[in-house]
Amino acid sequence: MRTLLHWPMSDTLCVLGLDAADYRLANRWGCENMLLENHGELESLTHSLDVPATLEVWPTIATGLSPTEHGVELDGVGWDNATGLRAVVRAVQLLPEPLHEHLADLKAQLLDGGYPRTDESTVFDDGTVRNWPGVTPCYVWEREGEWFERATDGDLSADEFVRRYFGTTGSCFGWLAGQSLSSVPIVGIHAHVLDHTGHMYARRPTALRRIYERVDSLLGWLRSRVDRLVVLSDHGMQTTATNDPDPGVHSDHALIATTESGPLPTDVLSVRDWLEDRIDAGRPERTNATVDAPREHLEDLGYL
């Protein structure tokens, strides 16, 4: 008889930044893993545009500061500096498919993640964080942006786009589950899947619902492995399913959902304080790493 392994308990607070998860759609389509036990609508903010901008809101969530204060603003992005490199990208896309992945990685590295990052402290300073716009390099987001550009131009089929996207999304969820066992007080990761697919399927609610249901299924897997989980978004998405005037444009209907009990933050500026209040006060002290193997053997293996 096969024995199922028990996933260890952890006090680490796991934060999933689920870009463009719209609170109305999650409710309408019964996404119980996206909404968790305790959920509510989160007020976003606008700064450079008339609607919330991904690059500006995520560092606000992490720092608790406005875009003017944390310094990551759309007006400050050096789009012109990337024009030449994007032209090279388009040219090399004529080469065999296996080279495209390497090109996307190279572009992300040459652009240092593609976007500016804040110098201010964040809620993740005593933990770990990955692929968080305005806070860390976003090589995954850059690669997904390449796919979206190709799908928009008709150079990549919608089916292939979604297949690739769920590969990177699954990797993000798996990373968060793994980091929950790393004995840090808080971990965070950003996943962009509902933003690009929301833009793509804003007028096709049946297709968009399938995406939400697949993401919710992945969240069910994550939920079974993480004891303390927070899911939040930076904004929602206008769609025909919600009778919005501009389908495919960001909406103000962000969400926050958690396994934690009690009142929730009501806006993106107050998320950091709320998270810090819930970080385990009894977190273990960090210790220096020790390795039992002889150093000479490790040097012979080429590890050192």
Side-chain angles (χ1 to χ4, degrees):
M1 180 176 179
R2 184 179 179 184
T3 301
L4 296 177
L5 297 178
H6 174 68
W7 193 265
M9 296 283 290
S10 170
D11 288 330
T12 298
L13 189 62
C14 298
V15 183
L16 173 64
L18 192 55
D19 205 291
D22 193 291
Y23 186 64
R24 302 165 303 168
L25 295 177
N27 274 284
R28 177 184 293 262
W29 292 331
C31 298
E32 61 180 20
N33 296 309
M34 198 177 297
L35 295 176
L36 300 172
E37 290 88 340
N38 186 12
H39 56 83
E41 188 162 328
L42 190 66
E43 182 181 347
S44 192
L45 61 80
T46 58
H47 181 66
S48 297
L49 305 176
D50 293 333
V51 295
T54 294
L55 184 60
E56 296 178 336
V57 179
W58 285 116
T60 288
I61 289 172
T63 64
L65 302 173
S66 69
T68 301
E69 294 171 310
H70 62 58
V72 181
E73 303 174 78
L74 285 181
D75 292 343
V77 178
W79 303 111
D80 292 340
N81 296 334
T83 301
L85 186 55
R86 289 196 175 97
V88 174
V89 168
R90 287 185 173 276
V92 179
Q93 283 172 355
L94 299 175
L95 296 174
E97 181 68 26
L99 295 179
H100 296 171
E101 291 293 308
H102 299 297
L103 182 66
D105 289 338
L106 177 62
K107 175 188 173 185
Q109 294 173 34
L110 289 177
L111 290 177
D112 193 23
Y115 302 103
R117 303 197 295 273
T118 184
D119 294 325
E120 301 296 330
S121 69
T122 77
V123 70
F124 301 111
D125 285 351
D126 290 332
T128 56
V129 61
R130 182 178 183 227
N131 199 48
W132 198 282
V135 174
T136 72
C138 289
Y139 302 144
V140 174
W141 186 25
E142 284 284 341
R143 184 181 303 115
E144 292 164 344
E146 291 292 338
W147 299 338
F148 184 66
E149 185 175 359
R150 292 182 59 200
T152 301
D153 292 344
D155 296 329
L156 188 69
S157 72
D159 287 344
E160 176 68 11
F161 172 76
V162 170
R163 183 190 68 78
R164 293 185 182 188
Y165 225 124
F166 272 95
T168 53
T169 302
S171 296
C172 287
F173 286 24
W175 181 91
L176 194 64
Q179 288 296 297
S180 73
L181 305 178
S182 62
S183 299
V184 294
I186 186 170
V187 297
I189 196 162
H190 160 265
H192 205 71
V193 59
L194 293 182
D195 185 284
H196 279 152
T197 54
H199 290 302
M200 180 177 286
Y201 296 130
R203 297 180 182 274
R204 287 170 281 175
T206 300
L208 185 57
R209 178 173 184 169
R210 282 198 296 268
I211 299 296
Y212 265 73
E213 290 173 344
R214 292 178 188 178
V215 172
D216 195 63
S217 179
L218 277 178
L219 268 166
W221 175 89
L222 179 63
R223 185 179 185 181
S224 70
R225 287 160 174 79
V226 169
D227 297 300
R228 303 179 67 199
L229 179 61
V230 179
V231 179
L232 52 87
S233 61
D234 53 339
H235 56 77
M237 189 69 66
Q238 297 190 53
T239 70
T240 55
T242 41
N243 297 316
D244 294 313
D246 298 306
V249 175
H250 293 172
S251 80
D252 296 323
H253 300 278
L255 66 78
I256 182 165
T258 182
T259 55
E260 303 288 297
S261 60
L264 297 172
T266 57
D267 60 80
V268 294
L269 282 163
S270 59
V271 169
R272 179 181 181 175
D273 287 343
W274 182 86
L275 290 172
E276 289 181 338
D277 285 344
R278 279 150 186 81
I279 292 175
D280 184 17
R283 57 194 176 195
E285 294 183 3
R286 293 185 180 180
T287 58
N288 292 331
T290 59
V291 179
D292 294 335
R295 184 178 182 89
E296 181 179 350
H297 178 60
L298 298 177
E299 291 174 346
D300 290 342
L301 291 173
Y303 294 165
L304 301 177

